[in-house]
Amino acid sequence: MYAQMIRSTGSRVKTLEEMDPQERAFQERIDAGGKIEPRDWMPEGYRRTLIRQIGQHAHSEIVGQLPEGNWITRAPTLERKAILLAKVQDEAGHGLYLYCAAETLGVSRDELTRDLLCGKMKYSSIFNYPTLTWADMGAVGWLVDGAAIMNQVPLQRTSYGPYARAMVRICKEESFHQRQGFDVMMKMANGTKEQRAMAQDALDRFWYPSLMMFGPSDENSVHSAQNMAWKIKMNSNDELRQKFVDQTVPQADFLGLTVPDEHLKWNEDRGHYDFSEPDWDEFFEVLAGNGPCSADRMEARNKAWDDGAWVREGLMAHAEKKKSRALAAE
């Protein structure tokens, strides 16, 4: 389907006949299922798109630690504390893998971080919502990590080799996170009346922000056609959102919880659930930095950057000293 598409010109992509020989060879390699590696030739637009996507993915993993880290000291049991600590550690590792993948494209993690802090780059809008109760830790694992897995499993087949390989381990760990979150929700849903109410409240608050994680509707997503032509992206936003709803609604039924959508119903003709669209005005407002926790998240990232300055400076000084000694020994 995408063999006749390549570089974007507005909402349109080039045909193979419109490409120069180098572009054509690049696209034909992708169409044949080949991987693009860091030293291979690539269009500048492909490189920029990957830097944006991988960088924002990495930022999301790092910022995603903040709403969960908020509950480490308040976890209800020692076992839950240990599980949550392990999960937060995993997210830090995911950010590291992804920053390393981005560095193969000629950009440093310091550059990526500065772009985040100045507002040039974003992170997933979901992390601008607060985690108010312990049940939110279940909802984040079940819904947020569930949506992340839906987005990320196809990325194991993405056309850029370092990104695809990083996603293999990330997806395995995210799968554990999703199961852990569902286990929390199951315990809450089968607990006391108050615990069950907390579980329902968490579902009510995180349902639509989770649907927003797949991005705007296909007709309003300016990058989708190009990214799918380059196989940076493997599925459309609406396709993944539908798959998430179809998978998650039966899980909510199993828990005895109610998805907060009065229009939700199974459509026999389509073989899918019909559901209400999220509030896209809210999505773009949150993405613009006006979410409930946007200021807190950026304050935390700025503080981490400032507090870590001495570490970066020390590492650079050590590297320069080591380099000087090596040159002197030659």
Side-chain angles (χ1 to χ4, degrees):
M1 177 177 177
Y2 306 109
Q4 301 302 311
M5 302 180 181
I6 181 99
R7 294 194 57 174
S8 174
T9 308
S11 59
R12 183 179 120 18
V13 293
K14 280 186 180 179
T15 65
L16 288 173
E17 291 73 22
E18 293 173 317
M19 300 176 211
D20 62 39
Q22 202 169 28
E23 286 179 312
R24 188 179 304 115
F26 173 84
Q27 184 62 37
E28 288 174 344
R29 181 175 177 179
I30 288 175
D31 292 341
K35 296 295 184 198
I36 306 302
E37 298 299 338
R39 298 193 180 194
D40 295 335
W41 181 88
M42 64 187 73
E44 181 59 23
Y46 178 84
R47 190 184 76 88
R48 288 197 307 267
T49 298
L50 281 168
I51 289 174
R52 182 182 68 246
Q53 180 167 322
I54 299 173
Q56 293 181 174
H57 191 167
H59 295 327
S60 298
E61 298 286 356
I62 299 302
V63 175
Q65 299 173 94
L66 298 175
E68 295 172 326
N70 182 46
W71 279 92
I72 289 174
T73 59
R74 296 182 287 166
T77 68
L78 184 59
E79 179 185 29
R80 292 294 183 189
K81 186 189 296 288
I83 291 171
L84 188 56
L85 277 167
K87 182 183 180 185
V88 171
Q89 178 178 282
D90 284 348
E91 306 296 2
H94 297 172
L96 176 62
Y97 306 151
L98 292 164
Y99 284 132
C100 288
E103 285 177 324
T104 66
L105 293 159
V107 60
S108 72
R109 67 191 68 183
D110 281 1
E111 291 177 89
L112 293 171
T113 302
R114 291 190 189 99
D115 283 348
L116 171 68
L117 299 182
C118 76
K120 185 178 177 180
M121 293 189 81
K122 305 292 183 182
Y123 55 88
S124 178
S125 61
I126 191 71
F127 300 119
N128 286 318
Y129 291 87
T131 48
L132 304 177
T133 70
W134 174 250
D136 288 7
M137 291 297 94
V140 167
W142 173 37
L143 299 175
V144 176
D145 292 326
I149 292 168
M150 201 69 69
N151 264 319
Q152 294 171 10
V153 165
L155 292 176
Q156 294 174 102
R157 308 191 315 275
T158 194
S159 62
Y160 189 57
Y163 193 21
R165 291 188 287 272
M167 293 313 305
V168 173
R169 179 167 179 174
I170 290 174
C171 287
K172 288 179 180 178
E173 293 177 350
E174 291 290 5
S175 179
F176 165 77
H177 300 165
Q178 195 270 347
R179 292 195 298 271
Q180 177 265 336
F182 188 77
D183 181 67
V184 171
M185 293 299 281
M186 190 159 56
K187 293 292 194 299
M188 300 290 285
N190 292 312
T192 65
K193 180 180 178 181
E194 291 77 11
Q195 289 171 325
R196 186 178 184 81
M198 288 170 62
Q200 182 63 59
D201 175 63
L203 172 56
D204 290 346
R205 287 182 289 105
F206 277 93
W207 175 252
Y208 284 108
S210 296
L211 295 187
M212 294 176 190
M213 288 178 65
F214 299 98
S217 183
D218 293 337
E219 60 187 19
N220 297 319
S221 181
V222 296
H223 301 295
S224 282
Q226 181 60 79
N227 290 352
M228 292 178 74
W230 277 330
K231 293 190 179 179
I232 292 174
K233 181 175 181 176
M234 308 301 292
N235 303 90
S236 72
N237 296 349
D238 289 337
E239 179 184 355
L240 291 171
R241 189 168 14 253
Q242 181 70 70
K243 187 176 180 181
F244 174 76
V245 172
D246 290 346
Q247 174 181 288
T248 308
V249 170
Q251 295 172 353
D253 290 342
F254 177 81
L255 293 172
L257 301 177
T258 303
V259 172
D261 182 355
E262 61 182 12
H263 300 296
L264 181 71
K265 65 177 181 180
W266 178 254
N267 187 317
E268 286 288 351
D269 294 335
R270 293 198 312 118
H272 296 287
Y273 282 96
D274 293 334
F275 61 95
S276 300
E277 286 285 311
D279 182 344
W280 292 116
D281 289 338
E282 176 184 327
F283 169 77
F284 287 111
E285 187 71 9
V286 172
L287 205 61
N290 300 314
C293 296
S294 298
D296 291 342
R297 302 294 184 242
M298 291 309 301
E299 181 182 353
R301 292 308 299 133
N302 274 286
K303 184 176 186 301
W305 176 257
D306 293 340
D307 290 350
W310 70 274
V311 178
R312 295 192 300 275
E313 292 166 4
L315 289 171
M316 291 300 296
H318 175 71
E320 288 296 325
K321 188 174 182 179
K322 191 174 180 180
K323 182 179 178 181
S324 299
R325 284 177 176 174
L327 291 172
E330 290 180 356

